[in-house]
């Protein structure tokens, strides 16, 4: 019996030694975040949205195997961390890894690892605290446009929706033609020096635009100046944060814009200048294309001078001893002129339309008749012309041509002059040479021809008489 008891005592101490060191203190865990093992005291900065890598190193310091190893970390989305196996050998190591996207803010949590020792019926566990700081650079931009007086006033509102202070936030517009310093941000030219988390600032700009639809496109840039770590533990510089906005606006046309710039056509009236060698009076030019007024008789009236700015007048008069000259007036439109003076006797050699002939009908066959002066055609009336003057014997008063009383006096003087010329007229039986001289005076344009005839005809008669005597 004593021998059996000795064997039992020797076996039990051996069994305790094989399972010794197992329990709560036999399992140890170390956590690193993006390569940093001191993340509990100094959590690394990670840009929000970047990948975070947590590595959990489990060490079994006991002499018994640990089964069903599992890790729970509240700092990991979902909380659960998967391990490659769930058995940890005695005095062995096991690494578990968790990968996820960084969230904003401070993310510190305590992870717990657990395992079972079936041979002893005990639970082995370990804890470790770790985490990171999620850096969120949230820059936003909105704008509002108000229109008035052909100008557009744009208000830009820039806000920091992140968790870090933003520095040197600059506001500009890429669509509107704004010059340097056109954007005012609280007294600074387009720049907000500091923008704390949750704060906002306003910037304004005014631009002059033509009527129509336009678009404003705001652009805000800034930086939180916070370097971060990537998944491998490398340092990443702070990026430039960007925010955009857009708004369409319409500049209305000014009141009365449809008739703006509409010019009123000017109107004017003028009279043709008179031209006469002695006492012939030129015809008055028609206004705005109206009919001209005939010129009155003159001793040797010349051609009338054309009127200016809307009318033209032409007068022609020819007079001899006892013969009344006939004047012809034509307006700018080319309408035929009226008779010289109402009630005056017909002028010899005049053709219908008031155009005088240069040679009377009773001239000898040897003297050719001059062709009547053609009357220009009447052009089409255009907008803005003055209505045509009535075709009367006495011209109506035209601005710049005198009043009606002066015209009546002029008509009376012309009638007296015609009567005096008829009294001084030479009878028809005055002879060939006398008639030829008179016709030469009437048609001054044939003066040279008349003088040649006066010299050549007597010479021809003398030669004929000399020849008859010689025979």
């Amino acid at each position: 019996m004593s021998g059996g008891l000795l064997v039992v005592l020797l076996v039990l101490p051996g069994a305790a030694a094989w399972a010794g060191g197992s329990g709560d203190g036999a399992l140890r865990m170390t956590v690193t975040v993006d390569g940093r093992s001191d993340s509990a005291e100094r959590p690394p900065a990670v840009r929000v949205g970047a990948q975070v890598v947590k590595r959990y190193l489990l060490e079994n310091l006991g002499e018994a195997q640990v089964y069903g190893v599992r890790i729970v970390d509240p700092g990991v989305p979902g909380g659960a961390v998967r391990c490659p196996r769930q058995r940890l050998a005695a005095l062995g190591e096991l690494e578990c890894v968790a990968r996820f996207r960084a969230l904003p803010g401070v993310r510190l949590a305590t992870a717990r690892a657990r395992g079972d020792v079936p041979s002893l019926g005990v639970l082995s566990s370990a804890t470790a605290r770790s985490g990171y700081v999620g850096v969120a650079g949230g820059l936003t931009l909105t704008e509002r446009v108000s229109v008035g007086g052909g100008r557009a006033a744009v208000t830009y509102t820039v806000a920091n929706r992140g968790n870090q202070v933003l520095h040197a936030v600059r506001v500009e517009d890429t669509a509107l033609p704004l010059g340097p310093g056109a954007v005012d941000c609280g007294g600074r030219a387009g720049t907000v020096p500091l923008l704390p988390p949750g704060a906002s600032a306003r910037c304004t700009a005014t631009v002059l635009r033509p009527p129509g639809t336009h678009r404003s496109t705001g652009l805000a840039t800034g930086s939180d100046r916070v370097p971060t770590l990537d998944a491998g533990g490398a340092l990443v510089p702070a990026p430039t944060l960007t925010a955009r906005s857009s708004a369409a606006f319409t500049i209305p046309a000014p009141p009365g814009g449809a008739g703006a710039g509409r010019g009123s056509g000017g109107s004017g009236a003028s009279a043709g200048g008179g031209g006469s060698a002695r006492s012939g009076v030129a015809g008055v030019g028609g206004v705005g294309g109206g009919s001209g007024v005939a010129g009155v008789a003159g001793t040797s009236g010349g051609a009338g001078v054309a009127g200016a700015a809307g009318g033209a007048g032409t007068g022609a008069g020819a007079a001899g001893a006892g013969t009344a000259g006939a004047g012809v007036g034509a307006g700018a439109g080319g309408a035929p002129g009226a008779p010289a003076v109402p009630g005056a006797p017909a002028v010899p050699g005049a053709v219908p339309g008031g155009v005088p002939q240069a040679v009377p009908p009773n001239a000898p066959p040897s003297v050719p008749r001059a062709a009547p002066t053609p009357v220009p055609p009447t052009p089409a009336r255009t907008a803005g012309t003055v209505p045509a003057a009535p075709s009367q014997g006495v011209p109506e008063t035209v601005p710049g041509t005198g009043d009606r009383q002066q015209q009546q006096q002029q008509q009376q003087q012309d009638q007296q002059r015609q009567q005096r010329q008829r009294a001084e007229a030479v009878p028809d039986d005055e002879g060939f040479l006398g008639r030829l001289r008179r016709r030469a005076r009437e048609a001054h344009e044939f003066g040279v021809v008349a003088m040649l005839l006066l010299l050549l005809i007597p010479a021809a008669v003398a030669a004929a008489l000399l020849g008859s005597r010689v025979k």
Side-chain angles (χ1 to χ4, degrees):
M1 180 179 179
S2 59
L5 182 60
L6 181 60
V7 172
V8 172
L9 292 176
L10 293 175
V11 170
L12 289 177
W18 178 82
S22 295
D24 288 342
L27 189 63
R28 182 185 298 174
M29 181 174 60
T30 304
V31 182
T32 61
V33 179
D34 288 345
R36 296 279 296 271
S37 59
D38 58 347
S39 61
E41 294 78 17
R42 295 191 308 165
V46 181
R47 187 68 54 181
V48 171
Q51 189 180 59
V52 179
V53 178
K54 276 191 174 185
R55 297 183 182 274
Y56 305 85
L57 180 62
L58 297 176
E59 296 177 287
N60 185 3
L61 303 179
E63 298 175 356
Q65 294 188 10
V66 180
Y67 294 90
V69 177
R70 56 194 179 276
I71 299 175
V72 177
D73 187 355
V76 176
V81 179
R82 300 184 63 179
C83 297
R85 62 183 184 275
Q86 293 183 341
R87 184 178 62 86
L88 180 57
L91 304 177
E93 294 179 352
L94 177 64
E95 184 180 69
C96 301
V97 181
R99 292 180 173 87
F100 55 92
R101 298 293 178 181
L103 300 176
V106 179
R107 301 289 173 170
L108 286 175
T110 300
R112 182 179 295 273
R114 292 181 179 180
D116 298 326
V117 182
S119 60
L120 299 177
V122 295
L123 180 65
S124 182
S125 64
T127 59
R129 187 172 177 81
S130 64
Y132 65 94
V133 176
V135 177
L139 182 63
T140 63
L141 179 65
T142 59
E143 64 177 274
R144 179 176 54 86
V145 183
S146 59
V147 177
R151 298 177 180 270
V154 187
T155 302
Y156 308 91
T157 303
V158 60
N160 184 359
R161 296 292 181 258
N163 54 12
Q164 302 293 324
V165 177
L166 299 181
H167 302 266
V169 178
R170 182 174 182 80
V171 180
E172 56 186 340
D173 200 307
T174 59
L176 296 179
L178 301 178
V183 181
D184 181 19
C185 298
R188 295 180 178 270
T191 303
V192 180
L194 293 176
L195 193 61
S200 62
R202 288 186 178 181
C203 301
T204 58
T206 302
V207 61
L208 180 64
R209 294 272 77 195
T213 301
H214 306 275
R215 179 169 293 276
S216 167
T217 302
L219 174 64
T221 56
S223 175
D224 52 24
R225 298 179 180 177
V226 178
T228 57
L229 296 179
D230 61 6
L235 195 64
V236 179
T240 300
L241 305 178
T242 303
R244 299 179 183 274
S245 64
S246 180
F249 60 93
T250 302
I251 301 293
R262 179 186 300 174
S264 58
S267 60
S270 62
S276 62
R278 295 182 185 175
S279 59
V281 180
V284 179
V287 179
S291 300
V293 181
V296 296
T299 305
S300 58
V305 181
T314 303
T323 304
V328 178
V341 178
V347 179
V351 297
V355 180
Q357 293 182 347
V359 180
N362 54 359
S366 60
V367 180
R369 292 191 180 185
T373 304
V375 179
T378 303
R381 292 187 57 186
T382 58
T385 58
V386 183
S391 177
Q392 299 179 0
V394 180
E396 293 187 357
T397 303
V398 181
T401 59
D403 53 7
R404 187 180 298 275
Q405 183 177 2
Q406 294 178 354
Q407 295 178 359
Q408 292 177 356
Q409 294 177 358
Q410 185 65 35
Q411 292 177 4
Q412 294 177 0
Q413 294 177 1
D414 294 336
Q415 291 177 359
Q416 293 176 1
R417 188 182 299 106
Q418 291 176 5
Q419 293 176 0
R420 185 168 56 255
Q421 291 173 355
R422 284 195 298 268
E424 296 174 357
V426 181
D428 292 337
D429 55 353
E430 59 184 347
F432 175 75
L433 293 179
R435 186 180 298 109
L436 187 60
R437 293 193 196 95
R438 181 166 53 83
R439 295 307 181 189
R441 286 197 305 268
E442 291 177 354
H444 63 279
E445 63 273 11
F446 295 106
V448 176
V449 178
M451 293 300 297
L452 291 175
L453 291 176
L454 290 176
L455 294 176
L456 295 177
I457 291 176
V461 172
L465 293 176
L466 184 59
S468 63
R469 291 180 180 179
V470 170
K471 291 179 180 181

